[in-house]
Amino acid sequence: PGYHCEEGEFGPLVDVLSCGFPVRDVLLSPPMKYLMVVLEDKVTREQLELCTPDIDAMPGLETSGRVKGVILTVKGDSEFDFYSRHFDPWQGVPEDPVTGSTHTVMAPYWGERLRKDKMVARQCSRRGGEMGLVMRRAEG
């Protein structure tokens, strides 16, 4: 769960994280303190994997305490519904290899965009990992 950020909010951090690729959406999950940057659909998995953001610069670009980790994600293809990477230098983790908690932020976004309740995602760190996701609707 997250909300769309205002245009320009977290601008310098988004610029560093996006590696010059075009950005479609920027969302913040206040409970998780994750900033999610969604790249335009034309950005590929390969481009996401080759992106080398300046991880050391990130903590100095966001000092308010509202962000403690950043997610970079792109729409998937025939193999996976979406791809992502997660950087957490505020916690001393440059890039987390596979992060379950980030998928709790991404799943509602991608589920709505893709109109799916079941998805398969790939986190594209050096080690990498796959996650099966199921959206459960609140009853009542």
Side-chain angles (χ1 to χ4, degrees):
Y3 70 84
H4 288 269
C5 295
E6 293 184 30
E7 190 170 337
E9 191 175 7
F10 304 107
L13 181 57
V14 170
D15 290 345
V16 165
L17 182 62
S18 64
C19 298
F21 292 113
V23 173
R24 177 185 174 117
D25 288 314
V26 178
L27 294 92
L28 179 68
S29 173
M32 302 298 292
K33 296 188 177 186
Y34 287 156
L35 185 71
M36 182 172 78
V37 175
V38 182
L39 299 177
E40 288 287 353
D41 291 349
K42 65 183 178 182
V43 179
T44 66
R45 170 189 180 168
E46 291 76 20
Q47 290 172 309
L48 176 68
E49 290 173 342
L50 291 173
C51 180
T52 55
D54 185 350
I55 297 167
D56 293 334
M58 290 181 191
L61 297 173
E62 203 324 279
T63 59
S64 72
R66 294 173 59 206
V67 175
K68 294 293 181 187
V70 290
I71 303 164
L72 189 60
T73 184
V74 298
K75 186 177 178 183
D77 50 28
S78 60
E79 191 175 2
F80 294 96
D81 293 298
F82 62 91
Y83 296 98
S84 67
R85 292 177 67 190
H86 175 70
F87 305 95
D88 210 358
W90 292 266
Q91 309 300 321
V93 180
E95 183 169 7
D96 200 332
V98 184
T99 318
S101 61
T102 61
H103 288 78
T104 66
V105 175
M106 290 184 286
Y109 174 86
W110 285 114
E112 184 177 313
R113 264 201 63 200
L114 302 174
R115 299 182 189 277
K116 289 185 166 189
D117 288 332
K118 293 182 180 179
M119 295 171 284
V120 180
R122 171 92 185 153
Q123 191 160 331
C124 297
S125 65
R126 184 167 288 169
R127 185 183 93 194
E130 301 170 9
M131 294 215 181
L133 307 163
V134 178
M135 294 294 300
R136 295 206 173 121
R137 307 287 176 208
E139 293 183 30

